[in-house]
Amino acid sequence: MLFRSQALSYAINRPAIVDRVMENAAIPSAQFLPPGSYSYVPDLKAPAFDANKAKALLAEAGYPNGLTVILHGPNDRYVNDAKIIQAVGQMWQRIGVRATIDLQPWSSYASRVHRREYSVMIGAVAAVTGEVSQVLRSAMGTYDPPKGWGGFNWGRYSNPELDAGLDRAQAVADDAARAGMLRDLARIGAADVANIPLHFQRTTWAMRRSVAYAGRSDDQTRDRKSTRLNSS
């Protein structure tokens, strides 16, 4: 399973997707957090596209003649989602993965993907807390609804070491120590290829030259000035 996932990852040319599909409004990724975020892992980079290595890993996984998959995804949820899915499918074709693309409106796709009707699918997550523990719990934590873990773990990846590490990290109050623990956990998930990250989507703001605005990492746009009352 690991070699197969590694093969699929190496077969994806992330810079090409960023350049040709996203028109440079994205950053290639190998993790859930962009540079500058708390618990971002500086040495965890997106694997370079390598079709030959992908073919070798696929053969090592027991698929010397390739395999057939259906790649499912929405066509109205994310920026260029349909084009991204089609690009990934074409890249997989080059290593012998016969990929059929199945695109659907988000309204039907979301319910079916949560019912685990698909084996290969595309999605997105956001670190609403500003650090990676929330995303790891949701996308990589062992599926456990009573505990609130694994809601977006559609492939049902499970690693007891990662789960135990998350429990320990969430109990650590020291920011630096917790960040180090979370980075180690992100490395575990990446090594297991629990997911295949593609890119961080950039948010774009347009304005007149006379207007200055610093974009927010949470994608919110706040254009009102704060005011206060002075009393004498």
Side-chain angles (χ1 to χ4, degrees):
M1 179 70 75
L2 175 59
F3 293 145
R4 185 177 64 185
S5 298
Q6 289 176 330
L8 295 176
S9 183
Y10 275 108
I12 298 174
N13 190 333
R14 292 166 178 80
I17 292 177
V18 168
D19 179 39
R20 302 169 193 171
V21 178
M22 296 301 293
E23 299 182 7
N24 291 313
I27 305 171
S29 171
Q31 56 186 298
F32 291 122
L33 295 180
S37 301
Y38 172 82
S39 65
Y40 168 76
V41 188
D43 59 345
L44 187 55
K45 305 297 183 182
F49 168 67
D50 191 331
N52 292 330
K53 186 169 185 176
K55 290 178 182 178
L57 286 167
L58 204 59
E60 193 169 354
Y63 301 94
N65 299 315
L67 71 158
T68 300
V69 301
I70 301 176
L71 178 55
H72 304 271
N75 57 10
D76 59 357
R77 176 68 171 180
Y78 315 114
V79 176
N80 296 321
D81 46 13
K83 293 181 180 179
I84 293 168
I85 296 166
Q86 290 166 349
V88 170
Q90 291 170 2
M91 291 171 183
W92 284 353
Q93 295 276 5
R94 297 171 188 170
I95 66 165
V97 176
R98 297 172 290 279
T100 300
I101 306 302
D102 177 28
L103 299 171
Q104 303 173 38
W106 176 257
S107 56
S108 60
Y109 174 75
S111 59
R112 297 184 68 180
V113 78
H114 279 289
R115 291 198 299 267
R116 299 189 65 205
E117 296 184 16
Y118 309 136
S119 59
V120 185
M121 71 293 286
I122 192 170
V125 292
V128 296
T129 61
E131 47 85 40
V132 79
S133 66
Q134 172 257 331
V135 186
L136 291 176
R137 291 195 308 271
S138 177
M140 290 189 184
T142 297
Y143 183 69
D144 187 345
K147 192 175 180 179
W149 286 32
F152 283 88
N153 186 352
W154 296 336
R156 295 298 187 263
Y157 164 79
S158 179
N159 185 326
E161 180 185 1
L162 187 142
D163 291 344
L166 269 173
D167 279 329
R168 290 193 298 269
Q170 292 176 131
V172 175
D174 182 86
D175 286 343
R178 187 171 69 257
M181 297 172 71
L182 293 175
R183 292 189 189 102
D184 289 340
L185 296 173
R187 291 188 182 96
I188 291 174
D192 287 347
V193 197
N195 298 274
I196 302 178
L198 297 179
H199 60 255
F200 300 116
Q201 180 179 298
R202 293 181 185 270
T203 302
T204 303
W205 285 269
M207 64 204 72
R208 295 180 179 179
R209 292 184 179 181
S210 60
V211 177
Y213 179 76
R216 295 171 54 91
S217 60
D218 60 9
D219 288 353
Q220 295 186 29
T221 302
R222 299 184 179 182
D223 60 354
R224 290 184 295 181
K225 294 181 179 180
S226 61
T227 60
R228 64 178 182 178
L229 294 176
N230 293 317
S231 60
S232 58

